[in-house]
Amino acid sequence: FGGRAAGERAAQARVSSAVAQAQGVRAAVAAEAAASVVALRSCQALAVQAADEARSRDETARLTALTARAGFSAPADAALARASAAQARALAQAQQASCESLVKSLVELTAWTEAELRQRWALASATADVPQPRAMAMSQVPADLLQQRPDLIDAAQAVIAAAGEHEVAGAALRP
């Protein structure tokens, strides 16, 4: 008695659980994409700074070489300035490579081609800066927010499914 209805409730709960898991995966991918966008904006800001630093050290090396040739500074100073400029150029290239790696990860997350992503990024980046989080204070988490979490929906549906399966097993024992 009631075994079939309990089985249907259990099956429906398992379907709802699977839907919640799928929503959780979509939310995780969206969060990863958002984090990658912020990381790429930060990376590009650092790349601009590294390029500026490299240009500055190149100019310092050029001026130090001039003073060394004129006899106003030691040749060792010019060598140190050249080494410092080379180091800054290497750091700028490494930072750019890091940004390229982030672009590749965004291509995988978005399923866009790299050309599409770069075009969209160029349009969006024309006026965009690195996002800054707003200050926010929460003394408690609203219950409605918790009810929307896919992992909690999945857990609740798993309990409902288990209860339904228990009822099915109980019904099978009765004549």
Side-chain angles (χ1 to χ4, degrees):
F1 296 97
R4 182 151 70 202
E8 288 175 9
R9 283 194 305 275
Q12 183 57 46
R14 282 192 294 276
V15 168
S16 296
S17 175
V19 168
Q21 287 176 352
Q23 289 172 342
V25 169
R26 279 194 297 274
V29 170
E32 182 69 24
S36 292
V37 165
V38 171
L40 182 55
R41 288 207 191 286
S42 297
C43 186
Q44 287 178 329
L46 290 172
V48 167
Q49 282 184 321
D52 288 347
E53 178 73 15
R55 281 190 294 278
S56 173
R57 288 191 193 185
D58 280 339
E59 182 62 13
T60 299
R62 185 184 72 78
L63 294 174
T64 304
L66 287 175
T67 60
R69 271 188 250 126
F72 293 119
S73 65
D77 290 343
L80 285 174
R82 283 191 308 275
S84 176
Q87 180 186 25
R89 285 190 303 274
L91 289 173
Q93 287 176 341
Q95 187 63 47
Q96 189 60 41
S98 178
C99 294
E100 288 300 316
S101 176
L102 286 169
V103 167
K104 304 291 186 206
S105 71
L106 268 172
V107 165
E108 292 302 316
L109 284 170
T110 61
W112 292 331
T113 65
E114 189 170 336
E116 260 183 307
L117 179 72
R118 288 184 186 280
Q119 181 182 13
R120 289 173 186 240
W121 189 262
L123 293 173
S125 295
T127 59
D129 291 324
V130 175
Q132 298 297 319
R134 287 185 274 169
M136 158 174 140
M138 280 181 87
S139 59
Q140 58 189 13
V141 178
D144 289 345
L145 182 63
L146 292 175
Q147 290 175 347
Q148 295 175 12
R149 285 188 45 186
D151 59 331
L152 296 180
I153 294 169
D154 176 37
Q157 294 302 318
V159 168
I160 292 170
E165 290 165 356
H166 179 11
E167 285 181 43
V168 169
L173 295 175
R174 291 189 291 275

